[in-house]
Amino acid sequence: DQQVKQNSPSLSVQEGRISILNCDYTNSMFDYFLWYKKYPAEGPTFLISISSIKDKNEDGRFTVFLNKSAKHLSLHIVPSQPGDSAVYFCAASSLTGNQFYFGTGTSLTVIP
Amino acid sequence: DVKVTQSSRYLVKRTGEKVFLECVQDMDHENMFWYRQDPGLGLRLIYFSYDVKMKEKGDIPEGYSVSREKKERFSLILESASTNQTSMYLCASSPPSGTEAFFGQGTRLTVV
């Protein structure tokens, strides 16, 4: 059973606008959440993360929001750039565990 | 610069062959993982290891085995390759804290 879900397989956004990628999880034991970016034929690269003790973390153009009560997190990219076009994976882990649980990914296309 | 290195970027193998995928990390991480990525299915965990000679099955271990004789090296073995094992294979490592997984560049395996 998928414990981390990304319900939007794809998203298209105009350059300069905001991209919002969503992620839901089911396991309340998760206490750390990560976003990865993946280009074709390359491995995923870490983008940004958030601990469950926070509700927001910001790094430049990227902000992750966490709503624990709704078991929902989102990644905001502002402003979106063509180089942001990639597949984005949401992941969750327990700091006392060994595993990372990944969503199915959202393919973002930023249109120039 | 931290690194996870997979031995091949592209591989083509015949049905029934025994296939070895090698992964080496230079970060002295305890945890290592093998995932496969398929369109629409995201990253699915095949096996992981939290110590030398220790292994745990992930979500899709059937048809695969692993070996971890040294801390820095984690091998994925396809005992008898089949066409449904054509996929992108991704190796990752992480410290025990579960705060970030570092990925290799991926191996695109085609079984014909």
Side-chain angles (χ1 to χ4, degrees):
Chain A
D1 189 27
Q2 194 82 21
Q3 298 190 57
V4 177
K5 299 179 184 178
Q6 294 176 257
N7 293 317
S8 298
S10 62
L11 175 68
S12 290
V13 172
Q14 287 289 136
E15 180 179 3
R17 305 293 292 269
I18 185 171
S19 296
I20 300 176
L21 294 88
N22 293 303
C23 178
D24 298 294
Y25 61 97
T26 57
N27 191 338
S28 57
M29 298 300 292
F30 291 147
D31 49 18
Y32 206 79
F33 303 90
L34 310 92
W35 284 94
Y36 282 82
K37 177 180 180 179
K38 186 182 183 300
Y39 293 118
E42 294 184 13
T45 54
F46 171 77
L47 197 56
I48 192 169
S49 62
I50 188 167
S51 164
S52 61
I53 62 173
K54 294 185 172 183
D55 54 18
K56 177 182 174 181
N57 189 28
E58 194 170 355
D59 184 2
R61 296 186 298 113
F62 303 92
T63 303
V64 56
F65 295 92
L66 176 62
N67 182 333
K68 288 190 291 295
S69 60
K71 294 192 177 68
H72 177 83
L73 62 154
S74 61
L75 174 68
H76 293 210
I77 306 173
V78 183
S80 301
Q81 300 173 353
D84 296 329
S85 297
V87 177
Y88 289 79
F89 290 99
C90 170
S93 69
S94 165
L95 293 175
T96 57
N98 298 96
Q99 288 193 55
F100 296 87
Y101 296 84
F102 284 85
T104 50
T106 297
S107 178
L108 173 66
T109 301
V110 180
I111 303 162
Chain B
D1 195 19
V2 298
K3 227 170 189 179
V4 178
T5 304
Q6 295 182 229
S7 52
S8 305
R9 292 295 298 270
Y10 301 95
L11 273 180
V12 180
K13 296 292 181 180
R14 294 196 178 275
T15 300
E17 275 193 79
K18 191 168 186 176
V19 181
F20 294 86
L21 302 183
E22 307 285 347
C23 175
V24 177
Q25 51 101 358
D26 64 0
M27 294 166 280
D28 201 35
H29 284 162
E30 286 76 5
N31 298 335
M32 294 189 75
F33 309 85
W34 277 105
Y35 294 89
R36 63 178 280 178
Q37 183 203 357
D38 300 289
L41 298 177
L43 272 64
R44 293 182 293 167
L45 182 64
I46 305 170
Y47 269 98
F48 71 98
S49 168
Y50 53 89
D51 201 353
V52 175
K53 296 192 186 295
M54 305 303 290
K55 60 185 179 184
E56 293 282 345
K57 292 181 180 179
D59 300 318
I60 51 165
E62 297 78 19
Y64 304 93
S65 62
V66 290
S67 172
R68 194 165 180 203
E69 296 296 319
K70 294 184 177 181
K71 189 176 186 180
E72 68 270 18
R73 188 179 296 270
F74 192 34
S75 304
L76 179 69
I77 303 150
L78 285 66
E79 299 291 343
S80 176
S82 64
T83 54
N84 63 12
Q85 292 178 310
T86 291
S87 186
M88 167 70 91
Y89 289 88
L90 295 161
C91 175
S93 73
S94 80
S97 62
T99 53
E100 187 173 344
F102 296 83
F103 283 86
Q105 75 276 32
T107 297
R108 170 65 69 183
L109 173 67
T110 302
V111 182
V112 296

